[in-house]
Amino acid sequence: MSAINVGQAVVLGAIEGVTEFLPVSSTGHLKIAEGLMGIPVDDDAVVGFSAVIQVGAIAAVLVYFFKDIVRIMTAWFRGLADREERYHHDYKFAWWVIVATIPIVAVGLAAKPLIKGPLASLWVVAGSLIVGSGVMWAADRMGRHKRGEDDTSFKDAMLVGSSQILALLFPGFSRSGATMSTALMLGLDRVAATRLSFFLGIPALTGAGIYELKDALGTGAGTAPLVVGTLVSFVVAYASIAWLLKFVAKHSFNAFVIYRIAVGLLLFGLLGTGMLNS
């Protein structure tokens, strides 16, 4: 019997799509939802399912930023063949995204037992939600918000890309929250920070989904729930991306900070009273 049925897959896919790119922690929300539905959060099939449906959200990024991705990849291929093209920012940016993904891949492989074991606890999620809120609030206040996307550098990409490790080790911290906060601390404006977070998430999340696919299929996550969850994730994530880019252009991250703290405190309460199993 599948660890997750189709109905649950629809709910989890929608949650993944809404939260993957908002700085509120998709992993944290998925674990909370799984716990409330009685799904074992540390089951290999469930962990694999969560990673695979992320591919739906990544597909939404690929579609939404299709023109940008084609432009960047075209510059990259041209640069491989023509030395003069290597001075183009898009060529450099493509390499930065590739190289900046290496740290999270290395840590993900090395710390897999911890990530799937003790760090998968909902207590960790609750604490990370609140701590991450403080980091985000400070970054939004300290950031100069003066640098645009064309002003990003290799240093920016490496620091922002490496910050994804925080979300990998501490589910609840939020990958997008960590990357956006780091980008803001480096002086990028909110739109540039958000777009950089999107691009850096493409290889990391796609790789995680592909890596977990065999485990998800081989340990109880049925094909139908995986397909349904991924499709729902794609549709909802596309709408979420469009909304977020419009929102950050005119608003601070205060709403996300308040929401994260509220969810973190609620989760602590549910765990402390035994209403939810960690």
Side-chain angles (χ1 to χ4, degrees), residues 38-268:
I39 300 171
V41 298
D42 58 349
D43 185 284
D44 285 344
V46 176
V47 174
F49 176 88
S50 299
V52 172
I53 63 173
Q54 286 179 334
V55 176
I58 291 301
V61 172
L62 295 176
V63 173
Y64 192 91
F65 292 107
F66 181 74
K67 291 183 179 179
D68 295 295
I69 293 171
V70 169
R71 187 191 75 244
I72 293 169
M73 293 307 298
T74 298
W76 186 66
F77 281 114
R78 286 177 177 172
L80 294 177
D82 186 347
R83 184 183 298 272
E84 293 298 322
E85 293 288 337
R86 295 174 190 173
Y87 294 99
H88 197 289
H89 183 269
D90 285 339
Y91 170 80
K92 296 177 182 178
F93 185 78
W95 273 117
W96 297 345
V97 170
I98 294 171
V99 177
T101 304
I102 295 175
I104 190 173
V105 172
V107 173
L109 293 174
K112 186 176 179 180
L114 284 175
I115 295 169
K116 287 193 171 185
L119 294 179
S121 168
L122 288 178
W123 288 105
V124 175
V125 172
S128 299
L129 276 165
I130 295 175
V131 172
S133 299
V135 173
M136 187 183 301
W137 180 85
D140 207 15
R141 292 295 180 279
M142 294 168 56
R144 291 175 292 142
H145 308 287
K146 292 184 178 180
R147 300 170 57 205
E149 187 174 347
D150 291 337
D151 298 321
T152 56
S153 64
F154 175 68
K155 176 184 175 182
D156 296 329
M158 285 302 298
L159 289 174
V160 174
S162 296
S163 70
Q164 295 177 109
I165 294 172
L166 287 171
L168 183 67
L169 296 178
F170 305 105
F173 203 96
S174 169
R175 188 203 63 81
S176 56
T179 52
M180 291 177 191
S181 296
T182 303
L184 289 173
M185 289 180 183
L186 292 171
L188 272 68
D189 62 47
R190 294 188 183 98
V191 174
T194 302
R195 284 174 60 87
L196 182 58
S197 174
F198 285 144
F199 288 121
L200 285 170
I202 292 173
L205 295 178
T206 302
I210 294 173
Y211 181 78
E212 295 286 356
L213 181 59
K214 61 178 178 61
D215 290 337
L217 291 173
T219 53
T223 302
L226 279 173
V227 172
V228 170
T230 302
L231 288 175
V232 172
S233 172
F234 169 80
V235 174
V236 177
Y238 189 91
S240 178
I241 293 167
W243 176 83
L244 180 61
L245 286 171
K246 292 180 181 178
F247 180 85
V248 298
K250 299 180 180 180
H251 302 84
S252 71
F253 287 109
N254 286 346
F256 297 119
V257 171
I258 295 171
Y259 174 79
R260 287 170 58 103
I261 293 174
V263 173
L265 292 175
L266 174 62
L267 184 52
F268 270 129

